[in-house]
Amino acid sequence: SWTDLQPAFPYSEKFISTEGFKIIGTELYRNVGLAIACVGLIVFLTIGNIIAAAIITVNVAFCIIEILGFMFALGIVIDSVSVINIVLAVGLSIDYSAHVGHCFMTKGGSDKNERATESLADMGASVLNGALSTFLAVAVLLFSTSYVFKTLATQFALTVGLGVLHGLVLLPVVLSLIGPKPFASAEPPKGVDASVVPEKMENKALAVTERAETLSAHQGASAETSANKEPGDTSQPDVGYDESKEFCSTPGADVEDEVPVEPKNADEV
C-alpha cells in the first residue's frame, strides 16, 4: 500500500521495463497456451469432430513454434511488442487450416487422398488469395524505421507464410494419413451421382418397403378368402399368413411334416 512507503526511495524509468522482462516469459507461455486452447475449443464446436479439431489445433501450435524459431534467427527479442504479435498470430494462422480441415470433412468417400485433393481444389485458391491480401496489407511496414511497425510487419509476414504452408501443404498430408471419416451429410465423391442413396440406407428402405407390401398382400388375400367361404365350410384357406413366423405357407406343401391318421374302425377303411 501507499501508507508503508519509505519517505525516500530510488526510482527510474528503467524499472518499468525491468519489471516487464521479469514476467514476460510467463505471460508468453500463458497467453499463447490459452489462445491455442480457445482456438481448439472453437474449432471443435464448429467442425464437430474431435479428431479433425485436434489435428488442426496441433497444426497451429507447430506454426507458432516455427515463428518463434524464425524470430530467434532474425534477432527479434521477446518483449511486449513481439509477445502481442505472437498471440495475434494464433488467430491468423488458424484461418488457413480451419478452412481446409472443414472442407475435408465435407468430402465423402473412403479414399482420404482423394478427399484431400478435392479439398485443395475447392478451397486452396481462396486460402491462398486470403494470405496474399493479408501480406500486402502489412508489406509496406517492412520498410519502416519504427521498431514497433517493423516487428509487427516481420511477424505478420512470418505468420502468413508459415500459416499457408501448414494449411496447404502439411495439413492435407496429415489428413490423408490419419484424417477422420466425413460427415454423414458429406457430398459424394466426384463421378458418383448425388441422387444415389447410400447402399446401406437403400437396402434398409427396400427391406422395409418389401415387408410392408408382403404383409398387406397376404392380409388382403386372407380377408378375401374368408369372405368367399361358405357358412358350413370348415376347411382351411389356401393361403395363410403366420405373423409370428413372418412367412406364408400353403397347406399340403410340407408333406413330410404331416402325420397319417389311423382309422378308428373297419367301416372307415
Side-chain angles (χ1 to χ4, degrees):
S1 63
W2 293 95
T3 58
D4 58 352
L5 294 177
Q6 298 296 327
F9 56 89
Y11 172 77
S12 173
E13 294 181 355
K14 299 292 185 180
F15 292 172
I16 298 177
S17 59
T18 301
E19 186 69 20
F21 280 115
K22 285 178 60 178
I23 64 172
I24 196 67
T26 304
E27 293 291 328
L28 171 63
Y29 294 130
R30 180 173 59 189
N31 294 338
V32 173
L34 290 175
I36 293 176
C38 292
V39 162
L41 177 61
I42 294 174
V43 170
F44 171 69
L45 294 177
T46 54
I47 294 182
N49 186 281
I50 190 171
I51 299 178
I55 294 175
I56 294 173
T57 304
V58 172
N59 195 54
V60 173
F62 286 165
C63 182
I64 299 301
I65 293 174
E66 293 175 8
I67 291 175
L68 292 172
F70 275 98
M71 287 173 55
F72 176 79
L74 296 175
I76 301 176
V77 298
I78 301 297
D79 55 9
S80 58
V81 176
S82 60
V83 169
I84 292 174
N85 293 331
I86 292 174
V87 176
L88 293 175
V90 177
L92 290 174
S93 58
I94 187 61
D95 187 39
Y96 314 114
S97 300
H99 283 88
V100 176
H102 180 266
C103 188
F104 177 82
M105 295 298 298
T106 61
K107 301 299 180 182
S110 59
D111 190 353
K112 297 178 182 179
N113 291 328
E114 185 68 22
R115 292 170 59 197
T117 303
E118 293 181 5
S119 301
L120 289 177
D122 291 351
M123 195 58 61
S126 300
V127 171
L128 184 59
N129 290 335
L132 290 177
S133 62
T134 305
F135 174 77
L136 293 177
V138 298
V140 293
L141 298 178
L142 292 172
F143 307 99
S144 175
T145 57
S146 172
Y147 170 76
V148 176
F149 291 154
K150 191 171 183 177
T151 303
L152 172 67
T154 303
Q155 288 186 282
F156 269 46
L158 290 174
T159 302
V160 172
L162 295 175
V164 169
L165 288 177
H166 282 73
L168 299 182
V169 178
L170 178 61
L171 182 61
V173 174
V174 175
L175 291 175
S176 65
L177 296 176
I178 58 174
K181 296 181 180 179
F183 293 142
S185 59
E187 61 185 44
K190 292 183 177 179
V192 178
D193 188 4
S195 62
V196 177
V197 183
E199 183 178 356
K200 293 184 179 180
M201 297 299 296
E202 183 180 5
N203 293 338
K204 184 177 180 180
L206 290 176
V208 172
T209 303
E210 291 177 357
R211 181 176 178 180
E213 292 177 352
T214 303
L215 178 61
S216 177
H218 287 292
Q219 286 180 347
S222 299
E224 182 180 357
T225 304
S226 300
N228 296 331
K229 186 173 62 174
E230 297 180 359
D233 188 4
T234 59
S235 61
Q236 298 294 328
D238 294 338
V239 180
Y241 183 76
D242 188 353
E243 294 182 356
S244 63
K245 297 182 179 180
E246 296 185 1
F247 68 93
C248 299
S249 62
T250 303
D254 298 329
V255 182
E256 297 178 357
D257 297 336
E258 295 182 356
V259 179
V261 179
E262 296 292 337
K264 294 183 180 179
N265 49 51
D267 296 336
E268 296 181 0
V269 177

